[in-house]
Amino acid sequence: MKKYFANIIEVIKSFLKEVGEISYFAGRFFKEFLFPPYEFKEFLRQCYYIGNRSLFLVGVTGFIIGLVFTLQSRPTLQEFGAVSWMASMVSVSIIREIGPIITALICAGRIGSGIGAELGSMKVTEQIDAMEVSGTNPFKYLVITRILATTLMLPLLVIFGDVLAIYGSYLVENIKDNVSFQLYFNQVFNILEYSDVVPATLKTFFFGFAIGLIGCYKGYNCKKGTAGVGKAANAAVVYTSMLLFIIDFIAVFITNIFYKM
């Protein structure tokens, strides 16, 4: 029994230590970000790598989500004679919740693991140490540029995925009921309000920041040789996914408070 409680205490200590180190890493990011020099070329390169190269995956996923969500919801709405509400239901669901969180999880798997593996390999091969010796600030060049790129690119990816998801839903409705493009999207824009779009967009900036922060933290502090690179990439995905759900819950909770006011 004592051993059991000792293990629980160790897990709690390890968790609190990890939280403290991530908080310190985030604090160092804001400290370094405020002062020059700024690595604009590397920042633009990371924006291209993160944004442009993720478009296809995000677009295909969003489109399929729109198709499947509409096909699954349609029979239930038909039972209540509420098929005419399909466009409204799909658009609000995707814009508010499904689009942002699914896109963020996809990017956590693709971008977060990539950043963790890239920085981890640089750490174990002592490339980061070499940058410090040569007078380059590796934190500014490697960490700040990637965190800023994920923070700015994820909202754009979410918007792109949302548009394709709603278009996929329209295609299903067009095939099933011959609904026109104008009629479908008129219903979409009539039902959406600022309280749907603005909070959903704002929280994607925090999603992007979390993906970049955890990926960079795990890679930058990678240990135990080449075996640690795989662990860093895997831990980046796991930690980021957990953090995304926590941020999402907080965002929805705060939105409900302001919306009721």
Side-chain angles (χ1 to χ4, degrees):
M1 197 68 178
K2 291 182 179 180
K3 185 178 180 180
Y4 177 75
F5 282 111
N7 290 335
I8 293 177
I9 292 173
E10 285 298 320
V11 170
I12 294 174
K13 286 182 178 179
S14 177
F15 172 76
L16 294 176
K17 180 182 177 182
E18 195 82 15
V19 171
E21 290 178 349
I22 293 174
S23 300
Y24 175 80
F25 194 80
R28 185 180 176 187
F29 163 80
F30 288 110
K31 179 183 177 181
E32 297 276 0
F33 168 70
L34 294 175
F35 302 101
Y38 301 110
E39 303 289 347
F40 287 109
K41 289 184 179 180
E42 177 64 12
F43 167 69
L44 293 176
R45 191 180 76 85
Q46 289 301 320
C47 286
Y48 170 78
Y49 178 79
I50 292 169
N52 184 64
R53 296 189 179 183
S54 302
L55 278 178
F56 180 75
L57 178 60
V58 171
V60 170
T61 304
F63 183 73
I64 293 175
I65 286 173
L67 294 175
V68 173
F69 188 46
T70 305
L71 288 171
Q72 292 283 7
S73 304
R74 188 176 177 81
T76 304
L77 293 180
Q78 281 180 328
E79 292 181 5
F80 295 96
V83 180
S84 60
W85 286 91
M86 177 65 74
S88 302
M89 184 197 71
V90 170
S91 60
V92 171
S93 300
I94 288 176
I95 296 295
R96 279 188 179 182
E97 190 60 36
I98 297 176
I101 194 64
I102 294 297
T103 303
L105 288 172
I106 292 170
C107 291
R110 187 194 182 285
I111 299 171
S113 62
I115 291 175
E118 183 183 10
L119 296 189
S121 63
M122 295 181 70
K123 180 72 173 181
V124 299
T125 55
E126 299 181 351
Q127 294 181 50
I128 294 178
D129 296 333
M131 292 177 68
E132 292 178 344
V133 171
S134 65
T136 304
N137 187 338
F139 197 90
K140 279 185 175 292
Y141 187 82
L142 299 175
V143 175
I144 291 180
T145 53
R146 283 162 174 78
I147 295 178
L148 287 178
T150 55
T151 303
L152 295 178
M153 288 295 105
L154 191 70
L156 299 179
L157 292 172
V158 169
I159 293 171
F160 180 70
D162 289 350
V163 170
L164 287 183
I166 295 174
Y167 181 73
S169 175
Y170 153 72
L171 288 182
V172 174
E173 286 298 287
N174 181 261
I175 294 171
K176 294 286 187 179
D177 275 346
N178 197 26
V179 177
S180 69
F181 182 88
Q182 183 177 0
L183 174 61
Y184 188 88
F185 280 89
N186 278 341
Q187 293 178 344
V188 169
F189 288 114
N190 285 336
I191 195 65
L192 290 176
E193 299 178 353
Y194 285 108
S195 60
D196 299 320
V197 178
V198 174
T201 304
L202 287 177
K203 71 181 179 182
T204 58
F205 286 96
F206 292 95
F207 288 168
F209 178 79
I211 292 171
L213 177 69
I214 301 300
C216 289
Y217 166 75
K218 285 297 179 181
Y220 201 80
N221 295 285
C222 177
K223 298 176 182 178
K224 298 181 180 178
T226 55
V229 176
K231 292 181 180 180
N234 181 64
V237 177
V238 174
Y239 278 59
T240 303
S241 299
M242 294 173 58
L243 187 56
L244 288 176
F245 286 115
I246 295 172
I247 294 173
D248 191 39
F249 169 75
I250 295 173
V252 172
F253 184 77
I254 294 175
T255 301
N256 288 336
I257 293 175
F258 283 98
Y259 181 71
K260 288 180 181 180
M261 292 175 61

